[in-house]
Amino acid sequence: MGVFTEEMLKEAENIVAQYPQRKAAIMPLLWLVQERFGYIPNEAIAEVAELTGTTPVHVEAVVKFYEMFHERPVGKYQLMLCTNVSCLLRGADKTLQKLKEVLGIDVGETTPDGMFTLEEVECLAACDKAPVLLVNAVELFENVTPNKVEQIIAELRQRYGSGDKETIQ
Ligand code: FES
């Protein structure tokens, strides 16, 4: 028994049918898996390969290449801080340090309560608002100076506690 349930398999067939070549469905199928599990379990790699007529090595390469795919479980809030040139010039290194302090974790780690995962990412195409912090790939916090970090974390915690899961996967 793999990670694809019967329901997911039906959806996967519909997705694959939308493309002239099966392998073009690799990313949407991976997204389907991640929506369900919050990350890409190892077993899903071979299943996606079979569904798309490719090899596990090929699918694994796609997972590793795109930062939006997670190879491990992540927190409710995935915090992606850009530390590329523009953001770095505007103090992203200090913002990163503050995030580590406030969360008590390092880059790539998840808080013990499973609430936050901290990641460093490349340019998010919002250089004019640097430094920027992307939350769960849907919400962008701009001009994130160190003194804003505690407020942002508190806001996210409060939002989760209030049941507003707008940015929660
Ligand atoms: S360098 Fe950070 S958004 Fe472009």
Side-chain angles (χ1 to χ4, degrees):
M1 173 108 180
V3 301
F4 275 81
T5 60
E6 251 180 60
E7 182 194 348
M8 285 172 73
L9 278 173
K10 272 190 201 134
E11 198 171 339
E13 281 165 21
N14 289 337
I15 290 170
V16 170
Q18 291 172 27
Y19 295 92
Q21 292 186 352
R22 298 182 73 83
K23 70 177 178 186
I26 290 175
M27 288 179 63
L29 291 191
L30 288 172
W31 198 247
L32 179 68
V33 171
Q34 188 159 288
E35 274 180 339
R36 170 90 183 208
F37 298 98
Y39 74 110
I40 310 290
N42 235 348
E43 310 89 289
I45 302 279
E47 290 177 67
V48 169
E50 194 178 329
L51 286 163
T52 54
T54 54
T55 63
V57 171
H58 187 91
V59 175
E60 193 177 7
V62 173
V63 173
K64 287 189 183 305
F65 182 80
Y66 291 99
E67 286 175 350
M68 64 190 181
F69 293 125
H70 314 308
E71 295 177 70
R72 302 183 298 278
V74 294
K76 303 281 186 230
Y77 290 107
Q78 189 195 6
L79 307 178
M80 303 167 98
L81 182 73
C82 172
T83 52
N84 214 311
V85 179
S86 299
C87 287
L88 204 55
L89 288 172
R90 297 255 301 154
D93 53 338
K94 294 182 181 70
T95 300
L96 181 63
Q97 191 53 41
K98 184 71 179 180
L99 277 164
K100 287 182 188 177
E101 279 170 31
V102 170
L103 297 170
I105 55 174
D106 212 333
V107 172
E109 294 180 348
T110 299
T111 52
D113 61 1
M115 189 72 80
F116 299 101
T117 297
L118 180 59
E119 289 178 12
E120 269 185 88
V121 294
E122 298 299 324
C123 182
L124 291 167
C127 309
D128 57 321
K129 302 169 186 80
V132 292
L133 176 70
L134 184 65
V135 178
N136 287 356
V138 293
E139 183 172 14
L140 191 72
F141 287 86
E142 304 167 356
N143 302 306
V144 185
T145 47
N147 62 335
K148 290 185 180 172
V149 165
E150 278 177 284
Q151 186 192 336
I152 290 171
I153 298 302
E155 185 188 323
L156 292 173
R157 278 192 195 283
Q158 189 179 25
R159 193 186 300 173
Y160 186 71
S162 73
D164 179 0
K165 309 291 194 291
E166 190 179 304
T167 66
I168 297 173
Q169 291 172 339

